Amino acid sequence: MQTNRRIHSIDVARGVAMVLMAIDHVRVYAGVPPGGPRPGVFFTRWITNFVAPAFAFLSGTSAYLLGQRLGNRRALSRYLVTRGLILVLLELTVIRVAWTFNFDFGEYLLAGVIWMLGWCMVLLAGLVWLPVPIIGAFGVAVIAFHNLMDFLSPAAGTALQQSSLAWLWQILYFGGPIQLGQNGPTLMVLYSIVPWIGVMAAGYAFGAVMTLEPARRNRICITLGASAIVLFLLLRTIDVYGDPRHWRATIPTPMPSLFRFINTTKYPASLQFLLMTLGPMILLLPLAERARGKIGELFATFGKVPMFYYLLHIPAIHFAAVIVSFVREGRVDPWLFANHPMMNPPPPEGYTWSLALLYVVFFVVVALLYWPCRWYARRKATNPAPWMRYI
């Protein structure tokens, strides 16, 4: 069993997700829309869809592996609760400021991917007391069946979202803005808890696969990944269940059929979205294990310190956008101090970057982040401070 050392394929896969994530976050400050009929714009957004599923799934896998090292479910549960609450706090404070470069907490708070991961870890802390097969079955069931909510009548859905527990339904599933008090800030729920708790639970059960001997582990990864991809293609072709966005819809759209076919729903993440993104990630894990050259080690460096990277990359990208704005306009555009990435007005006329500039900034920021991440990974592996367990 490989429970006393890091698993290289997990670090590489997580590192790839970290790098892809930066593309989307540069896009936010570039003013480029999240998709559209143009191939460059569409795929700039689409390729980053793999990030959140990898985050949530591999967080569950890492929790299982940590539990094997600790050998104590109580210690694992305590760690997950502590780390989960730390992530929620960071989302609402440090990350909020990094996104906006303003301190107007009375207007806007974001419940983003780190918020979601934090609360899912808190819930996983309770699930870890169950047998691993049951945790896995729970995760798969949530992923597979949560889209039954799509069949609610409009009246029933409206009733849920207008009930006294509407705020809870939004946090659990529907997402959207929640007004905190009569004069309080708006909490923008971007990532709901469902189905992500299912993804993390399934990832936890998958941790047992990652402790098997390599040949057997690789066979299972290939089988699971390929099966998920085939099921995605089948469900998407039938176009009846698994995503509320039906690509065969007769509504006129300039988007090509291929784009509509792979343009699945992320908020909340649909079954088809998760099959489309998790399938290739699991399928490619055996290949990631063999990525031992310089490129593989570069991705693995980011993947060893994902939260440290996350906390650095948003202010780094935001600061880079400030520099670009000053160079292009001779001033820093006030739009860069508004409420990114949600509840933000469209960029001013003439502000939007070209895709070429977007990718130049992306490559520069990721290259610069490599050095502090390498330092932190080495420090965490050799002489970690107690707080480094959680970051």
Side-chain angles (χ1 to χ4, degrees):
M1 295 177 65
Q2 302 180 28
T3 58
N4 59 349
R5 64 179 179 86
R6 301 194 69 90
I7 296 179
H8 184 69
S9 59
I10 293 178
D11 287 336
V12 171
R14 194 157 43 199
V16 171
M18 297 290 133
V19 171
L20 290 177
M21 173 179 61
I23 297 174
D24 195 46
H25 294 165
V26 174
R27 180 198 60 77
V28 169
Y29 294 105
V32 174
R38 290 169 48 205
V41 173
F42 178 86
F43 284 105
T44 291
R45 169 62 170 172
W46 183 84
I47 193 64
T48 65
N49 284 333
F50 292 84
V51 174
F55 264 29
F57 189 83
L58 294 177
S59 292
T61 303
S62 297
Y64 176 89
L65 297 174
L66 176 62
Q68 295 299 294
R69 290 196 295 271
L70 294 174
N72 185 317
R73 280 190 291 189
R74 185 177 299 277
L76 174 62
S77 183
R78 184 167 56 247
Y79 171 83
L80 288 171
V81 169
T82 303
R83 186 162 194 245
L85 293 178
I86 288 173
L87 294 188
V88 172
L89 179 63
L90 286 172
E91 179 79 271
L92 297 177
T93 55
V94 175
I95 297 171
R96 155 63 175 74
V97 173
W99 275 119
T100 63
F101 279 5
N102 71 56
F103 292 88
D104 189 7
F105 287 91
E107 180 182 352
Y108 168 75
L109 296 171
L110 176 67
V113 68
I114 303 302
W115 155 285
M116 174 271 288
L117 290 174
W119 286 120
C120 285
M121 286 181 185
V122 172
L123 295 175
L124 185 63
L127 290 174
V128 298
W129 293 93
L130 300 173
V132 172
I134 293 180
I135 298 173
F138 166 80
V140 171
V142 171
I143 293 170
F145 298 118
H146 79 92
N147 276 116
L148 291 174
M149 294 285 286
D150 299 340
F151 295 103
L152 282 177
S153 67
T158 300
L160 287 176
Q161 296 182 68
Q162 292 181 348
S163 69
S164 60
L165 294 177
W167 62 272
L168 180 60
W169 279 108
Q170 286 180 260
I171 290 173
L172 289 177
Y173 191 74
F174 293 108
I178 300 175
Q179 186 67 36
L180 302 179
Q182 186 174 358
N183 299 309
T186 297
L187 176 66
M188 188 65 189
V189 181
L190 184 59
Y191 283 87
S192 56
I193 304 302
V194 176
W196 296 108
I197 181 57
V199 176
M200 190 175 287
Y204 182 88
F206 182 76
V209 173
M210 298 306 291
T211 64
L212 300 174
E213 55 89 15
R216 186 181 178 196
R217 179 180 68 202
N218 290 346
R219 287 195 299 271
I220 294 175
C221 286
I222 292 170
T223 300
L224 288 176
S227 298
I229 294 170
V230 170
L231 183 56
F232 161 70
L233 294 172
L234 179 62
L235 288 175
R236 198 63 174 156
T237 301
I238 296 172
D239 200 23
V240 172
Y241 177 76
D243 197 291
R245 183 182 294 159
H246 298 286
W247 71 279
R248 294 182 186 274
T250 57
I251 300 174
T253 173
M255 192 173 291
S257 296
L258 172 62
F259 293 3
R260 286 187 281 115
F261 187 87
I262 61 177
N263 191 31
T264 50
T265 302
K266 184 177 181 180
Y267 305 112
S270 69
L271 166 61
Q272 291 181 21
F273 175 89
L274 294 172
L275 292 172
M276 179 185 73
T277 51
L278 288 174
M281 189 269 291
I282 296 171
L283 179 65
L284 293 175
L285 280 176
L287 182 63
E289 186 63 35
R290 297 197 293 271
R292 299 285 176 171
K294 290 184 179 180
I295 299 298
E297 291 302 326
L298 181 147
F299 285 122
T301 297
F302 292 135
K304 290 174 183 176
V305 291
M307 195 59 212
F308 181 76
Y309 173 97
Y310 192 96
L311 290 173
L312 288 184
H313 93 289
I314 295 175
I317 290 170
H318 200 167
F319 184 67
V322 168
I323 295 175
V324 170
S325 177
F326 183 79
V327 171
R328 293 177 75 209
E329 304 178 49
R331 68 186 182 103
V332 178
D333 198 301
W335 182 74
L336 291 170
F337 299 92
N339 293 321
H340 297 273
M342 304 292 292
M343 295 179 66
N344 194 46
E349 184 73 26
Y351 174 89
T352 302
W353 303 0
S354 68
L355 287 180
L357 178 57
L358 186 161
Y359 279 98
V360 166
V361 172
F362 155 70
F363 280 116
V364 170
V365 169
V366 170
L368 291 175
L369 289 177
Y370 173 75
W371 306 106
C373 287
R374 188 177 74 165
W375 167 82
Y376 190 78
R378 290 177 175 177
R379 173 69 189 278
K380 194 173 181 180
T382 57
N383 186 28
W387 58 268
M388 289 183 175
R389 297 180 63 215
Y390 303 102
I391 302 296

